[in-house]
């Protein structure tokens, strides 16, 4: 389990950029944060690659999380053939990957994610969804699984630039009507963490997949944790700190 000293250090370091005010919302990524869906995406990518003779390691897809399908396919093509894939081929290969994903079982809720969302609600803050996904099957489940906590949503359909561009998280702040220093972001992918950090938000990176230790700190996270259970605890520490400060100033 993580200890609270990393929070104090991280807030001190963040204060070089902004003074973190009492948070008013927490911006959550979806795949790999609210749902344990990344292994299914990685497996679907690997199956598509095997079918087409493209060499790939299942784990490498965690590093591409947040990218568009075409961008991922071009990485694979450039490595193997020394050139990218044209648009039609990208569409075809991405459609194959999507079919493999759809045929898989429904992804489970990420352990600890409900506790993290409940902690946000209990502290009187809002939850905001910031995902590159546009999969209705998973988006529709949010209502059922997270008790309507995510009425404010930024999906892949709302932005011009996906992660790692800061636009998705900036849009989330905008929809919530708050500034970067009044929020906390939670993402599991280096590109997602980069997007949130570049939007100026205090960012918790959660290593729910097989990324090397430190990969999310390197991507710009203020804090790196190993599970959503740890994230739930960290959020409670943040909220309690601000409650105490509010009491202190009364
Ligand atoms: Ca993610």
């Amino acid at each position: 389990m993580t200890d609270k000293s990393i929070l104090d250090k991280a807030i001190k370091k963040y204060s070089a950029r902004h003074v973190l005010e009492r948070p008013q919302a927490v911006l959550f990524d979806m795949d790999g944060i609210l749902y344990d869906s990344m292994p299914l995406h990685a497996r679907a990518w690997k199956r598509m690659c095997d079918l087409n003779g493209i060499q790939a390691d299942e784990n490498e897809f965690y590093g591409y999380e947040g990218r568009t399908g075409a961008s991922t396919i071009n990485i694979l093509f450039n490595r193997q053939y020394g050139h990218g894939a044209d648009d039609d081929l990208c569409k075809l290969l991405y459609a194959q990957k999507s079919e493999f994903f759809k045929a898989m079982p429904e992804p489970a809720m990420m352990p600890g994610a409900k506790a993290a969302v409940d902690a946000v609600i209990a502290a009187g803050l809002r939850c905001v969804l910031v995902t590159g996904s546009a999969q209705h099957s998973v988006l529709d489940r949010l209502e059922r699984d997270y008790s309507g906590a995510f009425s404010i949503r930024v999906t892949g359909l709302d932005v011009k630039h996906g992660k790692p561009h800061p636009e998705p998280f900036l849009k989330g702040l905008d929809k919530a009507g708050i500034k970067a220093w009044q929020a906390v972001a939670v993402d599991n992918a280096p590109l997602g963490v980069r997007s949130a950090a570049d939007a100026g938000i205090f960012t918790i990176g959660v290593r729910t997949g097989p990324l090397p230790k430190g990969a999310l700190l390197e991507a710009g996270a203020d804090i790196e944790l190993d599970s959503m259970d740890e994230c739930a605890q960290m959020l409670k520490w943040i909220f309690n700190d601000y409650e105490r400060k509010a009491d202190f100033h009364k």
Side-chain angles (χ1 to χ4, degrees):
M1 199 60 196
T2 189
D3 77 90
K4 188 174 175 294
S5 63
I6 67 166
L7 172 63
D8 301 329
K9 276 185 212 148
I11 288 184
K12 204 169 169 188
K13 202 169 162 209
Y14 177 85
S15 68
R17 289 182 283 159
H18 300 295
V19 176
L20 185 64
E21 291 181 8
R22 185 186 188 280
Q24 298 191 24
V26 177
L27 284 61
F28 288 94
D29 170 48
M30 185 170 75
D31 289 294
I33 288 292
L34 299 178
Y35 291 102
D36 192 8
S37 42
M38 277 313 295
L40 303 178
H41 282 294
R43 210 172 304 149
W45 275 111
K46 176 73 170 116
R47 282 190 190 162
M48 183 283 282
C49 287
D50 289 348
L51 182 69
N52 294 283
I54 302 168
Q55 284 147 25
D57 182 283
E58 199 164 309
N59 283 346
E60 74 176 284
F61 294 103
Y62 291 88
Y64 306 147
E65 189 181 346
R67 284 189 185 280
T68 63
S71 165
T72 296
I73 290 162
N74 276 309
I75 288 172
L76 301 170
F77 263 65
N78 276 308
R79 185 175 64 198
Q80 186 159 331
Y81 304 112
H83 59 79
D86 66 37
D87 287 355
D88 287 345
L89 188 53
C90 281
K91 275 185 197 147
L92 176 78
L93 296 177
Y94 189 67
Q96 286 179 357
K97 181 260 166 183
S98 301
E99 282 306 310
F100 281 126
F101 181 79
K102 273 189 219 157
M104 287 182 191
E106 210 176 47
M109 287 170 77
M110 184 63 78
K114 186 74 164 70
V117 168
D118 287 347
V120 176
I121 304 296
L125 279 63
R126 285 173 295 165
C127 292
V128 178
L129 183 76
V130 180
T131 177
S133 173
Q135 306 153 42
H136 288 291
S137 57
V138 190
L139 287 164
D140 291 347
R141 281 186 57 197
L142 280 173
E143 200 67 17
R144 179 185 86 200
D145 295 337
Y146 289 95
S147 327
F150 291 98
S151 57
I152 309 174
R153 299 178 178 191
V154 177
T155 74
L157 302 174
D158 296 316
V159 294
K160 187 159 173 257
H161 305 286
K163 301 170 185 177
H165 194 282
E167 186 186 346
F169 280 98
L170 289 172
K171 200 138 202 168
L173 293 171
D174 192 45
K175 283 194 174 187
I178 56 175
K179 302 292 183 198
W181 48 90
Q182 298 170 317
V184 174
V186 181
D187 205 298
N188 69 310
L191 301 179
V193 161
R194 171 54 55 208
S195 169
D198 282 353
I201 306 170
F202 185 83
T203 303
I204 300 175
V206 189
R207 245 167 12 105
T208 59
L211 288 172
K213 205 164 179 63
L216 296 176
L217 289 173
E218 206 176 299
D222 294 282
I223 289 177
E224 180 181 284
L225 302 174
D226 292 336
S227 70
M228 284 303 287
D229 284 311
E230 289 187 1
C231 181
Q233 175 64 69
M234 188 59 70
L235 289 171
K236 284 179 197 164
W237 278 332
I238 294 173
F239 305 152
N240 286 343
D241 266 8
Y242 281 91
E243 282 313 312
R244 269 205 304 279
K245 275 181 202 155
D247 285 345
F248 182 75
H249 289 297
K250 263 179 197 166

